């Protein structure tokens, strides 16, 4: 099984994941403020944000996943703490996105 899928399945309800036909890992980014991330999504600049490289860092990161079915696409953002003793958690879920995220260069099929 794909490690990204395992990571996602540990924190997201199976009933939610089962609504989608395809799941993609988009990228990991350094932790940003939730309001800043909300604005990036509202401005439909998530693909641009995810395409930029972050400097190497030993810090908490956000892992971005694209979930797609025939009707909609959603993005699940997981907080992956640098502290190995802390579990991942859901940072945010954005539903019904219209932005084309297939252009993100780091996109990877998970399921």
């Amino acid at each position: 099984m794909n490690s990204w899928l395992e990571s996602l399945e540990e924190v997201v309800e199976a009933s939610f994941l089962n609504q989608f036909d395809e799941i993609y890992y988009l990228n990991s980014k350094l932790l940003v403020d939730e309001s800043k991330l909300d604005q990036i999504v509202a401005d439909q600049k998530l693909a641009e944000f995810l395409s930029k490289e972050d400097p190497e860092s030993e810090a908490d990161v956000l892992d971005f996943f694209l979930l797609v079915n025939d009707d909609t696409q959603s993005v699940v953002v997981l907080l992956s703490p640098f502290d190995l003793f802390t579990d991942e958690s859901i940072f945010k879920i954005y539903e019904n996105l219209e932005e084309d995220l297939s252009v993100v260069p780091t996109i990877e099929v998970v399921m």
Side-chain angles (χ1 to χ4, degrees), residues 11-25:
V11 291
V12 179
E13 292 287 329
S15 59
F16 180 74
L17 292 177
N18 290 337
Q19 297 175 39
F20 298 94
D21 303 320
E22 301 169 11
I23 299 176
Y24 301 89
Y25 164 75

Side-chain angles (χ1 to χ4, degrees), residues 21-33:
D21 303 320
E22 301 169 11
I23 299 176
Y24 301 89
Y25 164 75
L26 293 171
N27 205 349
S28 295
K29 302 297 289 178
L30 292 177
L31 182 63
V32 295
D33 183 68

Side-chain angles (χ1 to χ4, degrees), residues 2-70:
N2 183 300
S3 62
W4 288 117
L5 183 58
E6 288 177 13
S7 178
L8 196 57
E9 288 177 333
E10 287 180 13
V11 291
V12 179
E13 292 287 329
S15 59
F16 180 74
L17 292 177
N18 290 337
Q19 297 175 39
F20 298 94
D21 303 320
E22 301 169 11
I23 299 176
Y24 301 89
Y25 164 75
L26 293 171
N27 205 349
S28 295
K29 302 297 289 178
L30 292 177
L31 182 63
V32 295
D33 183 68
E34 185 177 354
S35 62
K36 179 179 178 180
L37 188 56
D38 290 345
Q39 190 62 52
I40 290 168
V41 171
D43 292 343
Q44 294 193 14
K45 294 187 184 248
L46 187 56
E48 179 184 324
F49 171 73
L50 292 172
S51 297
K52 293 178 184 175
E53 286 190 39
D54 281 337
E56 288 295 319
S57 174
E58 293 181 350
D60 295 351
V61 296
L62 299 175
D63 295 324
F64 290 79
F65 296 87
L66 174 63
L67 291 72
V68 179
N69 65 27
D70 290 338

